[in-house]
Each structure stands twice: as structure tokens, then as C-alpha cells.
Amino acid sequence: MSQRTDSFTTRWGMFLAMLGMAVGTGNIWRFPRIAANNGGGSFLVAWVVFLLLWSVPLILVEFAIGKRTRYGPVGSFIRIMGEKFAWLGAWVAWTAIAIMFYYAVVAGWTIKYTLEALRGGLGRADPGAVWNGFAFTGEAVVYQVAAFALGVLVVSRGVRAIEAATKILVPSLFFLVLILAVRAVTLPGAVDGLNFLFTPHWADLTQPRIWLEALTQNAWDTGAGWGLIMCYAIYMKRREDTVLNGFMLGFGNNTVSLLAGIMVLCTVFAVVPELAASFATNPQALAAYPALAEAAASGQAISPDLIRSTIVGAGNEGLTFIWVPQLFARMPGGGFFMILFFLALFFAAWTSLISMIELSTRVFVDGGMTRGRAITLVATVGLLAGIPSALNRDVFNNQDFVWGVALMFSGLFFSLAVLRFGVRRFRETLVNTPFADIRVGVWWEWAIRLCVVEALVLVVWWFFNVRNEAPWGAFGVANMAVQFVIAAVVLWAANGWMVRRTQASGDREEPPEGEMLPSIP
């Protein structure tokens, strides 16, 4: 059975699809929170450093492997590392698929809140009214199904449909975030937010935590090391450049994160003084904000600094679905801009979910299944597997934590694949192709070696962070370790079967003689 691939029609279409994959909810809800909790401008310095020492190097690896092998994670690891290492590619694939299960839940939340914003149902006196009545209920399952169905609808129509959808969604997303950022910086007091975000305190950079958080943010919000870029790279034209596209993707993704940071933090700094004043004149209003009410009960002054720290420390869900509506409700024209915010969040979630569904489909296609059957299987399993996360907060938090940390192993495996293939040979034959607009230098070879160290440090750090959690709880070390071991053992045991299925699945579109993938040493 032939498995020759379709391709993106234009370089612009390919780039927008890649950017849609990379830009997700982590850019819009996680980046502002992490930046605010880690020194603002100081965090930005470390964040940019790891863009060049983690994200871009791994993005180039995925671009190069996907474009040359024309396989998803399993088949590409067979060709790059050898048959014994198919299970490492399967780990990459499984991690992204496991994230897809609960990411559809998040996408469903964004649909719900976009509709609520449109009908004016947000920004009530009780900031948690909508969230507490919706999250982890049967209604959340309905929206999870809706989000997943929208993703499957696009993927089922092939790569040209993905390209067409992202040509609309990604520019719209960028435009919405830009409008929101511009509006935020024009608010009275927004300059304090800009100063906080862009003024580094160099002494803070001696704190290891800032560097570790910056590295983690790059690992989670650029898509580097997920296998998603590799799957889209399968559909690149043979003469398409790798290096320039890789740099554009990394910097384009982080530009959206930066705009989101400006949007959220400037809004926070502008609105918080008014919020503090209202609490001073109406102490009863604190009852709607449990964390602040508890602080007041203990004798703390409800200062603007305390309110800001409470907002940005509220977690991804708390910041986005509880505090953001309150902030927008207190600014002129806030109802309109609240709609734009949640619409942008929905577009970001949708485009990322599309890429996860495409990766899942590609894995089964590479194993010999027809694309139609593969999509049907992914749709069925994906919907059912996501329901526990839609209904139970502990399950959602556990899956988000476990497979988020598992991504560090995925980045490690990509780095090890390059080391086994030969770092210099990989750069000279797979990255710096004859069609490259620019060529990457020797620094990249050292950056890939450093990625091995970075991945291991992150894994150790995350295990260390949860050492005091209940071992079998949502964030427990034992809980996470058992899931890792089960996944690794199952995938390792299935290694030979995956190799046979992949090799029997048919031919791939290959480069002309002279540009073939070098043999594995």
C-alpha cells in the first residue's frame, strides 16, 4: 500500500500550520503567570537564552528528521537510530497523545468561555460562579466532545485542510492578541506592568529557579521535542528550507508569548489599584475572593502588591477563568475585549489540538492503517480517554503533570537520536541541506549535547519539586514513576511489532539519489 504524502502548498501555509501547532494555551495563560512569578524582566533574559539552547536546536532536529524520513515518531526513530529504538519514538508519540486526551478538555473550556463572553455572562460579583458551576461536570464533557470534533473535522480532510484552517486561525489569533496588547498598554498605570516585565534585576539571575522555570516554559510552549513539528515537516516540499523555518517558528511562537505577557500584566497593573480601592471602601466584597479574605482575616493589609501576587499566583485556570473576567469587567470596553481574549484562547487551543490529532493519526498510518480508519480510531479513543479528565480535577491535574514532565524525556530522546546518528553528520546532511536559505553553525552541535543535560536536570528538578506531595496523589512521585514505567515497559515490549508494522506499511516519497538518508552507523 502506497503511503506517499501530500504536502503544504506554500511556505507561508506551512509556517502558519507550524505556528498554530506551537502557539497554544501555554503561551497565553502560562507564560504571563510564570514570568510574573519569576521576576519579570529577569525571567525574560533566561527565557531568551533557552530559546536558543533548547527550543531552536530541537525544532531544527524535528524539521530535519520529518522532512527527510517522511515518517512520524516511530518510523523516524527506526531510520535515525535503528530498529532497536522504535520504542523511543513511540514514547514521544504516546506522550503527545496522552496530552491530547486532556488538552481537548482545555479546548472545551475555551469554547464555553467564548460563548459566555459573547452573551455577557462573565465578570459577575462572584468571580468563580461560572467556573465552579461548569468545570469538571457533565457540561464540560459536552464541550470537550465539541472541541475534539472540531479538530477531527479539520484533520479528516487532510493536510490541505489543516493548511487552509491555520491560514485563517493563526493570523486571526495574532491579530487578536496584538489588539489586546495594544489596548492593555494604553490603560492608565500600564507602564508599571511594562517596567516590571522588561526591567531585569541581574542579581535575580543567580537564582537557579528562574533558569529552570525559563527552560521549562520553553519546553512546554514552543512544541520543541513533542514530535508535532516532525509530523508537519513530513508535508514539507523537498526543496523547502529547514534552518530559517526553524528560527522563524521559535521566535514567532515566543513573540506571541511576549504579547500575551504584555496583555495580561499591563491589565493587572492597571486594574489592581482600583480593585484595592474598592476593597478599602467595601470590605464585604472580599468575601468573593477566598485567598484575599483569608489574608484579611489574618490581619494582612489588602495592598495592590498582595492582590497582584494573588492574581498571578492563582494557577493557569484561576488566572484565566476566574481573574481575567474580573479584570476585563473593570476596564472601559471590557466586555468587548473579554470576547477577543477568549476567542484568541480558543483559536490557540484549537490549532494546537489539530496538530496532536494529526500526530496520533500519523502514527497509525505509518503502521499500515488507512488514514480514514486511523482518524476514526483516534476520534473514538481520544474522546473516551479524555472524559475522566473532563469530570475529575485530580485526574486532570495528574495527567497534565505526569505527561508534561514526560515531555522532558521526549526532548532527551530526540537529542540522543542525533548523538547516535552523529552530531556533525546530522548537521551537515540533514539540517544544512542544499536548499537552505541560511546554514547553522557548529554552535548547534554543542547546543544539542547541552539539551541532554538540560532534559536530565529538568526531570530531576520536577521529581524534587514534588518530593513532599502524597506519593500516590495527583502530583505524587510514586504515581508519576509508575505511569512512566508502565508506558516504557509496554512500548519496549512492543518494539519488534512496531518495527514490523512500520516496515510493512509501504513506500515513502524519497529524495533523489545523492540526497538519501545516510545509513545508520
Side-chain angles (χ1 to χ4, degrees), residues 103-114 134 140 142-148 346 349 353:
Y103 196 83
V105 178
V106 176
W109 295 345
T110 67
I111 296 175
K112 165 70 173 179
Y113 268 71
T114 300
F134 161 71
V142 174
Y143 283 99
Q144 170 225 350
V145 172
F148 208 91
F346 165 58
L353 183 60

Side-chain angles (χ1 to χ4, degrees), residues 304-392:
D305 285 343
L306 177 62
I307 297 174
R308 277 196 295 269
S309 65
T310 302
I311 292 174
V312 299
N316 295 330
E317 301 152 31
L319 172 63
T320 305
F321 298 110
I322 296 177
W323 277 105
V324 162
Q326 292 298 300
L327 297 177
F328 278 117
R330 292 176 177 273
M331 58 186 278
F336 172 71
F337 291 103
M338 192 188 305
I339 293 171
L340 297 189
F341 174 83
F342 285 110
L343 189 62
L345 196 64
F346 165 58
F347 286 171
W350 190 12
T351 52
S352 294
L353 183 60
I354 286 170
S355 67
M356 296 177 197
I357 296 172
E358 172 58 32
L359 179 146
S360 307
T361 301
R362 189 76 220 181
V363 169
F364 291 109
V365 170
D366 286 348
M369 192 176 290
T370 64
R371 187 171 178 87
R373 289 185 61 189
I375 291 173
T376 301
L377 178 62
V378 169
T380 304
V381 174
L383 285 174
L384 294 176
I387 290 175
S389 293
L391 291 174
N392 188 287

Side-chain angles (χ1 to χ4, degrees), residues 79 98 124 141 160 209 287 301 322 341 359 367 403 407 418 420 422:
R79 298 207 66 193
R124 300 172 179 171
V141 175
R160 300 295 173 87
R209 184 178 183 86
I322 296 177
F341 174 83
L359 179 146
W403 302 114
L407 285 173
V418 175
R420 176 169 171 78

Side-chain angles (χ1 to χ4, degrees), residues 386-456:
I387 290 175
S389 293
L391 291 174
N392 188 287
R393 184 188 304 272
D394 286 338
V395 173
F396 176 88
N397 287 336
N398 174 258
Q399 293 301 285
D400 185 30
F401 175 65
V402 169
W403 302 114
V405 175
L407 285 173
M408 311 310 162
F409 285 105
S410 295
L412 171 65
F413 295 160
F414 273 111
S415 303
L416 293 177
V418 175
L419 294 182
R420 176 169 171 78
F421 188 86
V423 180
R424 174 150 301 182
R425 189 169 66 139
F426 192 99
R427 179 176 68 89
E428 293 177 347
T429 60
L430 273 67
V431 177
N432 289 336
T433 67
F435 313 110
D437 294 324
I438 59 175
R439 304 176 75 81
V440 70
V442 176
W443 70 269
W444 178 87
E445 298 177 15
W446 292 103
I448 283 296
R449 294 184 178 99
L450 182 60
C451 283
V452 174
V453 178
E454 291 167 348
L456 293 173

